[in-house]
Amino acid sequence: QVHLVESGGGVVQPGRSLRLSCAASGFTFSLYGMHWVRQAPGKGLEWVAVISFDGGNKYFADSVTGRFTISRDNSKNTLYLQMNSLRPEDTAIYYCAKSPYSSGSYSPFEYWGQGALVTVSS
Amino acid sequence: EIVLTQSPGTLSLSPGERATLSCRASQSVSSSYVAWYQQKPGQAPRLLIYGASSRATAIPDRFSGSGSGTDFTLTISRLEPEDFAVYYCQQYGSSLTFGGGTKVEIK
């Protein structure tokens, strides 16, 4: 079965960087687009970024454009989110999620990881 | 950006009752690209419905979705104890946005 496991969360000061990883198993990772979605404590869901199956197409939410980068290593079945210039409002649980499509286009989120908590605070 | 408004904010019902959740979009959602998710406390969301009306894998048939254009509905025909949770709608026709959620609580 599909299994997604995020790691790399923690407490970081404003302005610093953090990289999240998402290890995938149970499906052919290299065939599917992948997303990051976040949820601030006690709040709703916010889409962050998407990457196509081959890394060739990437899209970002306006709130993170220019600060966050999404990438993948298909040889390691791993998705990444590089977060730079972090702000207190980036504090959230970050979920990786599988797209049912290969493209880096907008899609429903077919499967989700359990999430990684990122806290931005001085 | 398409804004999704979910109503009601909270729905208080008893097991066995029918739940009707609404999701209204600020503009028409192309090709009915609307999905619904269920989220329980401390858990990740789970996909229930995509394409406005198609059930995701292993989702019981008491869950159904309908609608088009700007108005979409999630119906739970008979609430089971495990259905009490927060439900989110999402559109993926133009970028990706979520509604604010509807909490279905035990009356």
Side-chain angles (χ1 to χ4, degrees):
Chain A
Q1 69 279 24
V2 173
H3 203 44
L4 301 169
V5 180
E6 300 91 341
S7 60
V11 180
V12 61
Q13 294 180 327
R16 304 298 291 266
S17 298
L18 201 64
R19 188 177 83 158
L20 300 181
S21 300
C22 170
S25 60
F27 66 103
T28 306
F29 180 73
S30 61
L31 294 182
Y32 293 95
M34 295 292 295
H35 296 264
W36 287 98
V37 180
R38 68 184 181 183
Q39 186 171 35
K43 302 297 184 181
L45 300 165
E46 179 187 18
W47 170 74
V48 173
V50 61
I51 186 169
S52 61
F53 71 105
D54 60 355
N57 290 312
K58 305 173 186 180
Y59 298 99
F60 298 90
D62 290 344
S63 58
V64 306
T65 295
R67 300 188 300 123
F68 289 13
T69 301
I70 188 171
S71 62
R72 64 192 297 160
D73 186 337
N74 286 343
S75 69
K76 295 181 178 179
N77 290 347
T78 302
L79 173 72
Y80 302 101
L81 184 68
Q82 177 67 43
M83 303 182 291
N84 299 329
S85 302
L86 282 161
R87 306 167 178 168
E89 55 265 36
D90 295 318
T91 294
I93 297 172
Y94 285 74
Y95 298 100
C96 63
K98 175 187 176 293
S99 169
Y101 314 136
S102 61
S103 67
S105 66
Y106 308 128
S107 78
F109 308 115
E110 192 178 21
Y111 295 97
W112 300 61
Q114 86 290 348
L117 178 61
V118 173
T119 302
V120 184
S121 173
S122 55
Chain B
E1 172 180 292
I2 296 179
V3 176
L4 300 180
T5 302
Q6 291 189 241
S7 61
T10 301
L11 198 52
S12 298
L13 295 168
S14 301
E17 290 193 294
R18 181 184 187 90
T20 303
L21 287 65
S22 174
C23 177
R24 178 161 291 176
S26 60
Q27 55 189 280
S28 183
V29 179
S30 61
S31 304
S32 295
Y33 286 151
V34 168
W36 290 89
Y37 300 86
Q38 177 193 68
Q39 187 177 33
K40 298 178 181 179
Q43 296 185 17
R46 176 175 69 145
L47 177 65
L48 300 175
I49 300 288
Y50 64 95
S53 60
S54 298
R55 268 189 302 276
T57 303
I59 300 303
D61 61 6
R62 64 179 181 274
F63 290 93
S64 63
S66 63
S68 64
T70 61
D71 290 301
F72 298 87
T73 300
L74 175 70
T75 301
I76 310 171
S77 59
R78 285 174 55 86
L79 283 164
E80 297 289 339
E82 62 267 28
D83 298 336
F84 291 91
V86 178
Y87 292 83
Y88 293 96
C89 61
Q90 174 222 354
Q91 69 80 24
Y92 50 100
S94 173
S95 189
L96 283 155
T97 52
F98 288 93
T102 290
K103 181 179 182 181
V104 178
E105 66 175 22
I106 300 176
K107 186 175 182 180

